[in-house]
Amino acid sequence: MLHINDLVFRYGGRVLFDHATAAFSKGWRVGLVGRNGTGKSTLLKLICNEMSPDNGDIRLAGRVRLGRVAQEAPGGERNLLDTVLAADTERAALLAEEETATDAFRIAEIHERLIEIDAARAPARAARILSGLGFDEAAQARPCGSFSGGWRMRVALAALLFVEPDLLLLDEPTNHLDLEATLWLEDYLASYPGTLLLISHDRDLLNHVPDHILHLENGKLELYAGNYDRFERTRAEKLERIAAQNVKLQAQRKHIQAFVDRFRYKASKARQAQSRLKALAKMQPIVAMAEQEAVPLDFPTPDQLAPPIITLDGASVGYRPGQPVLRGLDLRIDMDDRIALLGANGNGKSTLARLLSGRLQAMDGVMTRSPKLRVGYFAQDQAEELDLNGTPVSHLARLMPTAPELKLRNHLGRFGFSGRQAEVTVGSLSGGEKARLLFALISREAPHLVILDEPTNHLDIDTREALVQSLNAFEGAVILVSHDAHLVELVADRLILVKDGTARPFDGDMDDYRRLLLDQGRQARREAKAEKAEAPAGPSKKEQRKAAAEARAAAEPLRRKVRDAERNLERLTAERAKLEAEMADPALYDGRPDRLVTLQTKHADLAARIAATEEAWLLLQEELEQADA
């Protein structure tokens, strides 16, 4: 299906692809792996013709629909469900044409095609995908523009999955997801009906989804059968074989060299010695696959504190007085604890992390902290606060102004910033390097408790493994919020589920939690399939399509009324939002009072019109559902 032939590509003076070749077949699910900066994302751009190779080519067999998440997150006033539905351009075009078509034969063709592509079930399928990615029914009805950038990127992913392209290209799709959505996506992609090329550093995702691994290293591509664990074993075996061959080769060289040294000046052996010298010259060492040294991550050892270091007793926490996000919190943390916070985004995991870090205070109840407790708190948005013109050593010096430079450099070296690496500008660092710098900054005072909120988003697999080892060797307490199930499984020994406005211990391990979430998703899909399969036997498919087309044509006037009501409701809602924004301007309350009265009257009128329109829309929708039944 996809053929990469002798690909050469240079970027910024670097050779990213050096006569690289690979090919895979239709229906394969391929994981693309390699160290950060090797060119994985560039390869996707080359496949999509967003960049042109310097040499070689990339060919797709036949007419293949490519799909890749849009770089710009969707926005605007269109709600999430309609945004996802609009991604199916054929369905959207047919529905738009249906509104204006007058020819009876064309209307019948449109209706027949809509039935063929299962357009009637599209909203339900789109809703299931959005639900799996963390949007409940209420959220699906909200405008895209009302969500943050990370959530809107989830909508872009949902739209792509809904379209089901022949070749699905995904670049780190879990970066904006929580653990729950990641597990859903893992299950969804494992049965994806098309071909998949997936860039990820999530080990569990790479083990459960791909049936092949494409490894990018030193400008070359090498394809391995199996998942990531099998790839690692196969590659390790290759390295061992190459090492053994080189040992054998060195022994042969030593033996030949000894013969040459002994007989090169004897006339009777001169010819043989010359022959051996030529053989020796040809015996070059076998080039080993590069094994880059893992970047160090070494959290300093804190002094010990008497347990417990933190206790919560009936505590509540939130951001507005009288409106707690979490309540009834009972928790004890000791220095040997390894805790992972589970729960969907928006349930309060980060709020609990901020409470434990001291960035939020308990609203009520009791929270007790050891007076000497030092906390290191990592959050992804901290990377945005770094001075791009500064250096790792200047950042640390600002936080530790009295520390000698040698101490600063020694600490930075624990996290891979040694020598000149400590003096590069932050703006030139990769996302993973910025994450390592944050690890260094938050641990500068040897904290007793390390709180990590999504620490792995920009870390490659090897650095994630180094983080696992470092946290397991750390002699303080660890609290994790992460979508990386592999990290949670290897580090955490206590699971806390943040849900329904509180936090409680989860009785089980990560396998139990994964089964709980996936069973819920699979049950929903089974019910949908069963509903589709229950279509009664009887008329032929052609007769069914004809009858459905006739019924759809008969219901068309009612359907248009529903759409008109929806548009009217959207228009009124937009007017109200604009009016509310005007009323929120503080300057309004310092001006003429009659202007405020006018706006308040208009707002009340809009509210009444919206309520009446909603009621009319619901009645029309109910009538349409009965007509379609």
Side-chain angles (χ1 to χ4, degrees), residues 308-535:
I309 57 175
I310 295 179
T311 58
L312 298 175
D313 186 8
S316 298
V317 62
Y319 302 93
R320 297 179 180 178
Q323 299 180 31
V325 175
L326 300 172
R327 56 172 62 85
L329 299 173
D330 297 309
L331 183 64
R332 169 182 169 140
I333 301 175
D334 298 330
M335 279 198 66
D336 59 351
D337 272 326
R338 299 288 190 273
I339 299 172
L341 303 182
L342 308 179
N345 278 1
N347 280 3
K349 300 190 300 295
S350 294
T351 301
L352 178 55
R354 292 187 184 103
L355 172 66
L356 297 174
S357 70
R359 283 161 173 75
L360 287 176
Q361 301 299 315
M363 289 178 166
D364 51 39
V366 178
M367 178 176 180
T368 305
R369 295 162 55 96
S370 175
K372 295 183 179 180
L373 177 66
R374 296 188 298 272
V375 178
Y377 178 70
F378 175 99
Q380 279 296 311
D381 56 8
Q382 289 174 337
E384 299 173 4
E385 301 171 6
L386 295 172
D387 177 10
L388 299 182
N389 296 317
T391 65
V393 71
S394 70
H395 276 80
L396 192 57
R398 281 197 291 270
L399 297 173
M400 304 175 69
T402 62
E405 184 174 348
L406 180 60
K407 181 178 180 180
L408 301 178
R409 289 182 174 274
N410 286 341
H411 181 71
L412 288 170
R414 303 172 77 113
F415 295 88
F417 295 99
S418 56
R420 292 184 177 180
Q421 291 173 314
E423 300 173 357
V424 300
T425 59
V426 169
S428 65
L429 298 179
S430 68
E433 289 168 332
K434 289 176 183 175
R436 286 194 284 110
L437 175 57
L438 290 174
F439 291 150
L441 298 180
I442 68 167
S443 63
R444 64 189 182 277
E445 296 180 339
H448 304 96
L449 168 64
V450 172
I451 301 174
L452 304 177
D453 192 347
E454 295 295 356
T456 64
N457 274 358
H458 299 287
L459 303 184
D460 58 31
I461 292 179
D462 291 337
T463 309
R464 292 184 187 207
E465 292 300 322
L467 180 61
V468 168
Q469 296 174 18
S470 178
L471 293 177
N472 285 335
F474 178 56
E475 296 184 17
V478 175
I479 294 178
L480 273 176
V481 179
S482 178
H483 67 260
D484 189 333
H486 180 73
L487 176 68
V488 172
E489 286 173 336
L490 294 184
V491 173
D493 51 27
R494 290 175 61 192
L495 302 178
I496 303 292
L497 180 58
V498 182
K499 185 179 179 182
D500 299 329
T502 190
R504 295 284 183 266
F506 178 74
D507 185 17
D509 57 17
M510 279 302 297
D511 286 337
D512 295 321
Y513 190 58
R514 179 185 284 108
R515 280 192 293 269
L516 174 66
L517 294 175
L518 296 184
D519 284 348
Q520 293 172 353
R522 287 168 180 164
Q523 180 61 30
R525 287 204 296 277
R526 280 195 296 268
E527 290 174 357
K529 287 181 179 178
E531 178 185 348
K532 188 174 181 179
E534 285 176 358

Side-chain angles (χ1 to χ4, degrees), residues 86-107:
D88 186 345
T89 54
E90 181 188 11
R91 176 182 177 274
L94 288 170
L95 290 176
E97 185 181 358
E98 178 190 42
E99 291 187 8
T100 58
T102 57
D103 183 86
F105 292 103
R106 179 53 185 160
I107 292 174

